[in-house]
Amino acid sequence: MPKVSEGDLVQRRKDILEGARTCFAEHGYEGATVRRLEEATGKSRGAIFHHFGDKENLFLALAREDAARMADVVADEGLVEVMRDMLAHPTRYDWLATRLEITRLLRTDPIFRARWQQHQAILDDAVRARLEANAAAGRMRDDVDVAVLHTYLDTVMEGFISRLASGEPTEGLDQVLNLVEDSVRKHN
């Protein structure tokens, strides 16, 4: 059996993630069957599960990858910029249409909830750090605790994702994001 290079393994993993992202976006979490994942990724069940173990781990790998990418944007520009990126590049976030299914799993499956929270911690930590840095620099409103602002932005993000996932028109959402951004800034 020929030995596969590390570069080839990395590329296979990347190909599987991209195909799975498309599959989850099109069929949802439950509808992304193994057969559909095989078709979308162009890889066999064995190859998919060699890299990810099972469908839940594959799904959570997407969540971790997106959370890390979003955390980088948050660190440099803030959470509102992540939402602007969602408007500008909707196909990057198509798989988030599974959000209703995720919400159900978060409510009904404590093991999934713990694993999801672990993967999303990188984004939460980045948002919290950005808010605290802006507060320390005097750029944030000071009449509301940073923890409350974090919850506020997280709630806005959830609603924003739900709206995008539902296929509602996106006209005016950029102005909504301006309003959200303005609502957390300190005004003299």
Side-chain angles (χ1 to χ4, degrees):
M1 179 176 230
K3 190 163 183 148
V4 179
S5 75
E6 184 65 30
D8 287 341
L9 288 174
V10 168
Q11 186 60 49
R12 284 183 190 172
R13 183 176 168 83
K14 182 179 174 186
D15 292 345
I16 291 168
L17 285 169
E18 287 310 308
R21 183 182 310 279
T22 301
C23 188
F24 286 123
E26 187 174 330
H27 302 288
Y29 180 81
E30 295 297 330
T33 62
V34 173
R35 180 192 309 268
R36 285 179 172 157
L37 286 167
E38 287 175 318
E39 290 169 5
T41 63
K43 306 290 185 223
S44 70
R45 168 188 317 242
I48 295 167
F49 295 136
H50 167 76
H51 287 279
F52 297 98
D54 59 24
K55 182 170 89 169
E56 184 175 299
N57 281 322
L58 174 58
F59 187 78
L60 290 169
L62 285 172
R64 181 176 48 252
E65 184 178 85
D66 279 6
R69 185 179 56 224
M70 288 186 244
D72 289 343
V73 173
V74 166
D76 292 337
E77 303 173 56
L79 188 61
V80 171
E81 283 306 311
V82 170
M83 291 182 264
R84 289 187 202 290
D85 192 51
M86 288 178 180
L87 282 176
H89 304 101
T91 56
R92 267 190 216 159
Y93 301 95
D94 275 357
W95 76 279
L96 288 174
T98 62
R99 201 59 169 197
L100 294 176
E101 291 173 280
I102 294 169
T103 301
R104 181 186 59 77
L105 287 169
L106 292 173
R107 192 181 74 246
T108 61
D109 185 337
I111 295 169
F112 181 86
R113 179 176 49 251
R115 294 182 73 208
W116 175 263
Q117 288 170 341
Q118 176 187 0
H119 292 297
Q120 294 300 299
I122 188 171
L123 180 57
D124 285 338
D125 293 345
V127 171
R128 192 174 302 105
R130 172 93 177 168
L131 289 170
E132 289 170 354
N134 282 340
R139 293 188 295 261
M140 300 288 297
R141 56 187 300 168
D142 54 12
D143 62 328
V144 179
D145 188 69
V146 167
V148 173
L149 291 173
H150 183 224
T151 300
Y152 166 66
L153 289 172
D154 188 50
T155 302
V156 169
M157 177 90 153
E158 288 293 322
F160 189 83
I161 290 169
S162 292
R163 181 163 182 116
L164 292 178
S166 72
E168 291 285 325
T170 59
E171 295 88 34
L173 285 181
D174 54 334
Q175 292 172 339
V176 169
L177 294 177
N178 291 340
L179 182 63
V180 170
E181 198 168 44
D182 190 54
S183 70
V184 296
R185 285 198 176 133
K186 184 173 187 168
H187 297 284
N188 296 328

